Amino acid sequence: MSSNETSDADTGPDAGTHADLSPAASQLRIATFRLARRMRTQRAVDSMSDGQFAVLAALKVHGPHTLGDLAERERVSAPSMNRTVNCLQDSGYIVRGADERDGRKVVISLTPEGTAVVEETARRRDAWVEATLAELTPAERETLAAAAAIMERMVAR
Protein backbone atom coordinates (compact mmCIF):
# COMPACT_ATOMS: atom_id res chain seq x y z
CA MET A 1 0.00 0.00 0.00
CA SER A 2 1.44 3.38 -0.93
CA SER A 3 1.58 6.30 1.48
CA ASN A 4 -1.42 7.83 -0.33
CA GLU A 5 -3.57 4.74 0.12
CA THR A 6 -5.55 3.96 3.27
CA SER A 7 -6.84 0.70 4.63
CA ASP A 8 -10.39 0.11 5.81
CA ALA A 9 -9.09 0.36 9.38
CA ASP A 10 -7.85 3.90 8.63
CA THR A 11 -11.22 5.08 7.30
CA GLY A 12 -13.73 3.06 9.33
CA PRO A 13 -15.91 4.30 12.18
CA ASP A 14 -13.04 3.94 14.67
CA ALA A 15 -10.52 5.77 12.48
CA GLY A 16 -8.26 7.92 14.61
CA THR A 17 -9.68 6.58 17.87
CA HIS A 18 -6.62 4.54 18.76
CA ALA A 19 -4.28 7.39 17.87
CA ASP A 20 -6.28 9.67 20.16
CA LEU A 21 -5.82 7.17 23.00
CA SER A 22 -2.07 6.84 22.55
CA PRO A 23 -1.02 9.34 25.26
CA ALA A 24 -3.47 7.85 27.77
CA ALA A 25 -2.35 4.32 26.91
CA SER A 26 1.30 5.25 27.42
CA GLN A 27 0.56 6.98 30.71
CA LEU A 28 -1.43 4.00 32.00
CA ARG A 29 1.25 1.53 30.85
CA ILE A 30 4.04 3.47 32.55
CA ALA A 31 2.11 4.00 35.79
CA THR A 32 1.06 0.34 35.91
CA PHE A 33 4.62 -0.90 35.41
CA ARG A 34 6.01 1.52 37.99
CA LEU A 35 3.37 0.45 40.53
CA ALA A 36 4.03 -3.24 39.84
CA ARG A 37 7.78 -2.74 40.10
CA ARG A 38 7.36 -0.91 43.42
CA MET A 39 5.08 -3.63 44.81
CA ARG A 40 7.50 -6.36 43.72
CA THR A 41 10.13 -4.87 46.04
CA GLN A 42 7.92 -5.88 48.97
CA ARG A 43 8.87 -9.54 49.27
CA ALA A 44 9.76 -12.05 51.93
CA VAL A 45 12.98 -13.23 50.24
CA ASP A 46 15.04 -10.42 48.70
CA SER A 47 17.23 -12.77 46.67
CA MET A 48 14.27 -14.44 44.95
CA SER A 49 13.62 -13.39 41.35
CA ASP A 50 10.21 -12.30 40.12
CA GLY A 51 10.05 -15.44 37.97
CA GLN A 52 10.77 -17.68 40.94
CA PHE A 53 8.12 -15.97 43.03
CA ALA A 54 5.63 -16.24 40.16
CA VAL A 55 6.11 -20.02 40.15
CA LEU A 56 5.54 -20.23 43.91
CA ALA A 57 2.44 -18.04 43.63
CA ALA A 58 1.07 -20.14 40.76
CA LEU A 59 1.53 -23.31 42.79
CA LYS A 60 -0.18 -21.70 45.81
CA VAL A 61 -3.15 -20.51 43.78
CA HIS A 62 -3.53 -23.38 41.28
CA GLY A 63 -2.00 -26.35 43.10
CA PRO A 64 0.63 -28.84 41.95
CA HIS A 65 1.74 -28.73 38.30
CA THR A 66 3.97 -30.66 35.98
CA LEU A 67 7.05 -28.86 34.71
CA GLY A 68 5.46 -28.48 31.27
CA ASP A 69 2.26 -27.05 32.71
CA LEU A 70 4.24 -24.54 34.79
CA ALA A 71 6.29 -23.53 31.75
CA GLU A 72 3.13 -23.01 29.72
CA ARG A 73 1.40 -21.07 32.53
CA GLU A 74 4.39 -18.76 32.94
CA ARG A 75 5.06 -18.58 29.18
CA VAL A 76 8.66 -19.73 29.34
CA SER A 77 10.51 -22.67 27.80
CA ALA A 78 10.64 -26.00 29.61
CA PRO A 79 14.46 -25.76 30.05
CA SER A 80 14.08 -22.29 31.58
CA MET A 81 11.36 -23.52 33.93
CA ASN A 82 13.52 -26.51 34.86
CA ARG A 83 16.30 -24.14 35.98
CA THR A 84 13.81 -22.11 38.04
CA VAL A 85 12.32 -25.24 39.60
CA ASN A 86 15.78 -26.63 40.41
CA CYS A 87 16.71 -23.42 42.21
CA LEU A 88 13.44 -23.39 44.17
CA GLN A 89 13.88 -27.05 45.05
CA ASP A 90 17.47 -26.46 46.21
CA SER A 91 16.15 -23.65 48.44
CA GLY A 92 13.52 -25.95 49.96
CA TYR A 93 10.49 -24.08 48.59
CA ILE A 94 9.15 -26.86 46.34
CA VAL A 95 9.33 -30.63 45.98
CA ARG A 96 8.94 -32.98 43.05
CA GLY A 97 6.82 -36.06 43.44
CA ALA A 98 4.96 -38.69 41.47
CA ASP A 99 1.54 -37.81 40.09
CA GLU A 100 -1.16 -39.72 42.02
CA ARG A 101 -3.08 -40.48 38.79
CA ASP A 102 -0.09 -41.20 36.55
CA GLY A 103 3.06 -42.39 38.29
CA ARG A 104 5.11 -41.65 35.15
CA LYS A 105 4.54 -37.93 35.57
CA VAL A 106 6.39 -35.71 38.03
CA VAL A 107 4.42 -32.98 39.79
CA ILE A 108 5.84 -29.95 41.50
CA SER A 109 4.32 -28.86 44.81
CA LEU A 110 4.95 -26.21 47.43
CA THR A 111 6.60 -27.07 50.70
CA PRO A 112 5.45 -25.36 53.90
CA GLU A 113 8.45 -23.03 53.48
CA GLY A 114 7.32 -22.12 49.95
CA THR A 115 3.79 -21.46 51.17
CA ALA A 116 5.18 -19.24 53.92
CA VAL A 117 7.16 -17.19 51.37
CA VAL A 118 4.06 -16.60 49.25
CA GLU A 119 1.91 -15.69 52.24
CA GLU A 120 4.50 -13.35 53.77
CA THR A 121 5.14 -11.64 50.44
CA ALA A 122 1.39 -11.13 49.93
CA ARG A 123 1.12 -9.75 53.47
CA ARG A 124 3.97 -7.29 52.87
CA ARG A 125 2.56 -6.17 49.56
CA ASP A 126 -0.91 -5.69 51.02
CA ALA A 127 0.56 -3.71 53.92
CA TRP A 128 2.46 -1.46 51.51
CA VAL A 129 -0.69 -0.82 49.44
CA GLU A 130 -2.76 -0.18 52.58
CA ALA A 131 -0.19 2.31 53.90
CA THR A 132 -0.08 4.06 50.54
CA LEU A 133 -3.88 4.19 50.31
CA ALA A 134 -4.04 5.70 53.80
CA GLU A 135 -2.11 8.70 52.49
CA LEU A 136 -4.74 9.41 49.81
CA THR A 137 -7.99 11.30 50.06
CA PRO A 138 -11.28 9.37 50.16
CA ALA A 139 -12.02 10.60 46.63
CA GLU A 140 -8.66 9.31 45.38
CA ARG A 141 -9.31 5.92 47.00
CA GLU A 142 -12.72 5.78 45.29
CA THR A 143 -11.09 6.61 41.97
CA LEU A 144 -8.52 3.85 42.43
CA ALA A 145 -11.23 1.34 43.40
CA ALA A 146 -13.11 2.19 40.20
CA ALA A 147 -9.88 1.97 38.20
CA ALA A 148 -9.10 -1.45 39.71
CA ALA A 149 -12.49 -2.75 38.58
CA ILE A 150 -11.92 -1.37 35.09
CA MET A 151 -8.43 -2.89 34.93
CA GLU A 152 -9.86 -6.28 35.94
CA ARG A 153 -12.28 -6.04 33.01
CA MET A 154 -9.40 -5.10 30.70
CA VAL A 155 -7.30 -8.12 31.64
CA ALA A 156 -10.29 -10.49 31.41
CA ARG A 157 -10.67 -9.75 27.69
Side-chain angles (χ1 to χ4, degrees), residues 45 47-60 67 70 74 80-96 108-115 117-118:
V45 179
S47 62
M48 185 176 289
S49 73
D50 293 336
Q52 290 169 342
F53 182 76
V55 169
L56 294 183
L59 292 171
K60 173 101 168 75
L67 184 79
L70 271 175
E74 297 302 315
S80 177
M81 182 55 68
N82 193 47
R83 285 188 297 277
T84 299
V85 165
N86 285 341
C87 183
L88 291 170
Q89 185 174 11
D90 291 347
S91 298
Y93 299 128
I94 61 168
V95 293
R96 296 177 199 240
I108 299 156
S109 306
L110 281 176
T111 64
E113 293 82 5
T115 299
V117 167
V118 174

Side-chain angles (χ1 to χ4, degrees), residues 139-154:
E140 288 172 324
R141 288 193 293 271
E142 279 185 39
T143 298
L144 284 176
I150 294 166
M151 292 171 80
E152 285 292 333
R153 284 199 332 258
M154 289 172 68

Side-chain angles (χ1 to χ4, degrees), residues 13-89:
D14 292 333
T17 301
H18 293 295
D20 295 342
L21 295 176
S22 184
S26 291
Q27 185 179 15
L28 178 60
R29 175 184 51 80
I30 291 166
T32 301
F33 277 119
R34 289 184 71 201
L35 178 62
R37 187 179 314 123
R38 181 63 180 87
M39 268 197 289
R40 282 194 304 265
T41 66
Q42 304 300 311
R43 54 179 148 207
V45 179
D46 288 334
S47 62
M48 185 176 289
S49 73
D50 293 336
Q52 290 169 342
F53 182 76
V55 169
L56 294 183
L59 292 171
K60 173 101 168 75
V61 171
H62 303 288
H65 278 62
T66 65
L67 184 79
D69 290 341
L70 271 175
E72 186 176 320
R73 174 174 292 284
E74 297 302 315
R75 295 188 169 116
V76 299
S77 69
S80 177
M81 182 55 68
N82 193 47
R83 285 188 297 277
T84 299
V85 165
N86 285 341
C87 183
L88 291 170
Q89 185 174 11

Side-chain angles (χ1 to χ4, degrees), residues 125-146:
R125 290 177 178 175
D126 286 348
W128 179 82
V129 173
E130 288 171 15
T132 304
L133 288 173
E135 297 173 4
L136 303 178
T137 67
E140 288 172 324
R141 288 193 293 271
E142 279 185 39
T143 298
L144 284 176

